[in-house]
Amino acid sequence: MTYRRWIVVGMAVAVVGVLVAGFAIVNGTFSPRGYVKDKYTRAASRDIGREAIAYTSSKSPTRVAKELTDKWRPSDRYTDSSGVYLRYDDDSVVILPLATGSVILLEDMKTANPRYHSTVGSYWGWGRGSSVRGGGPGSGK
């Protein structure tokens, strides 16, 4: 009887684990994008078109960036007086100052890179997993 009870308990724990993991995956909490969605206030009036989705925080851009990068290490980071620019594999998180905190913009890299290239220049290099090879003769061939 004891053996059977442990099997039932083990199966129950496994089912709960699968449900928790499934909920987290569906809600995107396993990404920087999901973290921002969960932690900060949605501000649709500050969206840039349909590409850059806006959130706000009462904290400074450097504080917001620290909170995010403590949880999710970016591929590249650029900071200047205009804000903090974080590049992840497929997403960008741009944190700009507001009079009373920050606006956090989530955007796919395919639209963020052209939008912010004049600011970040070459600081946003190719991310992990990129198959792009460049350089001179013989490099990466």
Side-chain angles (χ1 to χ4, degrees), residues 33 48 50-53 84-95 105-121 124-125:
R33 185 178 287 264
I48 301 173
R50 290 186 296 181
E51 295 86 23
I53 306 302
V84 180
Y85 302 80
L86 305 173
R87 180 196 192 283
Y88 292 90
D89 284 341
D90 296 323
D91 294 318
S92 75
V93 179
V94 175
I95 309 160
L105 296 165
L106 299 177
E107 188 170 3
D108 289 339
M109 280 306 299
K110 67 183 175 208
T111 57
N113 200 29
R115 183 186 314 276
Y116 300 111
H117 187 268
S118 64
T119 302
V120 299
W124 276 358

Side-chain angles (χ1 to χ4, degrees), residues 35-54:
Y35 179 83
V36 169
K37 287 179 181 180
D38 288 346
K39 186 144 177 86
Y40 303 106
T41 305
R42 180 75 170 94
S45 65
R46 295 188 178 273
D47 288 356
I48 301 173
R50 290 186 296 181
E51 295 86 23
I53 306 302

Side-chain angles (χ1 to χ4, degrees), residues 64-141:
V64 172
K66 180 168 179 12
E67 289 176 353
L68 180 57
T69 59
D70 282 351
K71 299 286 183 190
W72 296 96
R73 192 177 78 188
S75 300
D76 294 298
R77 177 185 181 138
Y78 178 77
T79 304
D80 69 7
S81 61
S82 69
V84 180
Y85 302 80
L86 305 173
R87 180 196 192 283
Y88 292 90
D89 284 341
D90 296 323
D91 294 318
S92 75
V93 179
V94 175
I95 309 160
L96 305 173
L98 291 175
T100 59
S102 304
V103 63
I104 304 133
L105 296 165
L106 299 177
E107 188 170 3
D108 289 339
M109 280 306 299
K110 67 183 175 208
T111 57
N113 200 29
R115 183 186 314 276
Y116 300 111
H117 187 268
S118 64
T119 302
V120 299
S122 63
Y123 287 96
W124 276 358
W126 297 103
R128 296 179 306 271
S130 174
S131 62
V132 175
R133 296 179 182 171
S139 69
K141 296 181 181 174

Side-chain angles (χ1 to χ4, degrees), residues 56-69:
T56 57
S57 172
S58 60
K59 299 172 185 170
S60 71
T62 54
R63 182 68 192 148
V64 172
K66 180 168 179 12
E67 289 176 353
L68 180 57
T69 59

